[in-house]
Amino acid sequence: MCGIVGVTGRDDALDVILTGLQRLEYRGYDSAGVVMDESSDRLRVVKRGGKLANLTAALSDESISGSVGIGHTRWATHGAPTDSNAHPHTDPTGRIAVVHNGIIENYEELQATLPDATFSSETDTEVVAHLVAREVEGGAELPDAVRTVLRSLDGAFALCIQDRDTPGMIVVAKREAPLIVAHADGVSYCASDVAALIRHTRDVQALMDDQVAVLTPDGITITDLNGVAVEGHAYHVDWDLDAAEKQGYEHFMLKEIHEQPTAIADTLRDRLRPATGPDGSPRLHLDECRIDEGEFGRIDKVFIVACGTSLYSAMVGKLAIEHWAGIPVEVEVASEFRYRDPILDPHTLVIAVSQSGETSDTMAAATHALDQRAPVLALVNVVGSTLAREADAVFYTHAGPEVAVASTKAFTTQLAAFLLIGLYLGQQRGRIYGSEITDILNRLHHLPGQVEQVLEQDAAIAELARKYASTHYTMFIGRHVGLPIAMEGALKLKEISYLHAEAFPAGEMKHGPIALIEDGSLVVALAPAGHTFAKMVSNIQEVRARGASVLAIGTDGSTADLKAHAHDLITLPEASHELASPILAAIPLQLFAYHVAVTRGEDIDQPRNLAKTVTVE
Ligand code: AGP
């Protein structure tokens, strides 16, 4: 997520901003910038792609002062991490400067209301500066101008706005993206989280959705979008800095597990565009496409290449693409792909899945496909990553930066993305129409709320983890949509708790793996209601009969039989589509692995021998 720091009323405002941005570096970003009110006749904007060091180096070449300013570290969502796409953004006259965290969904429609405007970036943010400038040029006071513009925005935002001609003032607003404000000792502050402010004050106010705050050295006033006075959520921050960076969670992994409702909502957001086609129905679109989109309608074979956790999301992707697009799909370990002779041609699509977009094995597989003239679609989380740049087309998850080595929110957003990719390919092949897609998307929009429901079981799952934390061998079993989650659950457990775990198709048990079952074995069985449920109950009965302890993951409607045969049960809400159920099933296994590792005192965010991104083969 982006980082925001703003201050008004201090002569060392620039130092406060840069220090605050450094406190927010953990959030992950790929460009940074500041705006200062150095003099009454202009705003000074300095911004650079890359790390903060690039910005501070640029600033050291220019002596910038001022008592009011805003700083920003950007995690790219629209537009690569370049100098021009870095925030702040200004209107063409340089009067209004804006920084933004979030996604403005209707930015293209808003741009169309400014037919004579020229935009200097690829971002969804820049249009806000143009719109606010148009209002103040029309005579509106800055706060009123901002409120007018905000009422036209769709999507999520934390916005901070400065006006050259309104010295000393910063106007901020939020919807779904976090923003806090504070006033202490004649200075007003704003930031995307408390880590940037606790050196200056621990008494802050969190703005609520659609609240607008006006910051001056004299204090802070908060209103709603219509200018009616309201209150933010005031609180005192007890955290130390380390806790603040994790927003109160003990580890980044737990923070990122709990960010999944927002990450999934952001990944599903804004995927339909009004159709230009004859039937007039909305159409799904890719984030980037450098080939003729018609090519996707002529695809007759798909390979999905990935590593680790991303490989397991690919297994669900296979089911989604075959279900909605009717194309045969092979899932391949990326590190093996180029050693065999995969049959590739211009009608074979290779989907390369990678949170980082930098995994060398996945890059090598994608390069092999490109050399064979097969189109490559990158499913990545990092905008502007190597894989995103080199692929023919890109579909971005919007998980935000994932700091913990163990992947969680990147995984579930990949699962959500694959549902959309399956629908997209079906759309391109004329197998599914806009009205059906819209119906399915409307059902998928229940997912974030259902993930929240599962997260509410955290304490109960922690209790189960403590119960099984000494189990030295755990077998995960599943069928159909449950199998990829069994594989991912085994990986999560072994990579952070170092306990031996493996996963099998439940139907394989009798072909060998059941020989491993003895008293004290733990079997985690993915047993959602559906067409594989009865067989999963049989598998549970056969391992229990041989002494295993059984932890079943069931869904509403399947719990009676599971309670009769499993020792422990975690019940999930029934997903709005069977292919979405893996997203819900992944959550308890993430939490189980996390709490087992915490119980065993292991290093959660940086497990031994592992790196967040494997850039060597
Ligand atoms: C998963 O928890 C691990 N961190 C690892 O398996 C990871 O998924 C794999 O290295 C692939 O990384 P990528 O998605 O960035 O390509």
Side-chain angles (χ1 to χ4, degrees), residues 291 293-303 321 325-328 345-350 374-375 425 428-429:
I291 57 176
E293 267 205 288
E295 294 291 323
F296 291 99
R298 293 183 282 274
I299 295 297
D300 57 19
K301 173 68 180 282
V302 174
F303 284 102
I321 294 169
I327 307 172
D345 64 35
H347 297 317
T348 305
L349 174 64
V350 174
L425 291 174
Q428 295 303 100
R429 299 187 82 218

Side-chain angles (χ1 to χ4, degrees), residues 307-310 353-356 359 405-407 414 491-492 495 614:
C307 302
T309 286
S310 296
V353 190
S354 175
Q355 184 284 132
S356 61
T359 297
V405 166
S407 187
Q414 285 169 351
L491 176 59
K492 282 282 113 20
E495 71 173 320
V614 181

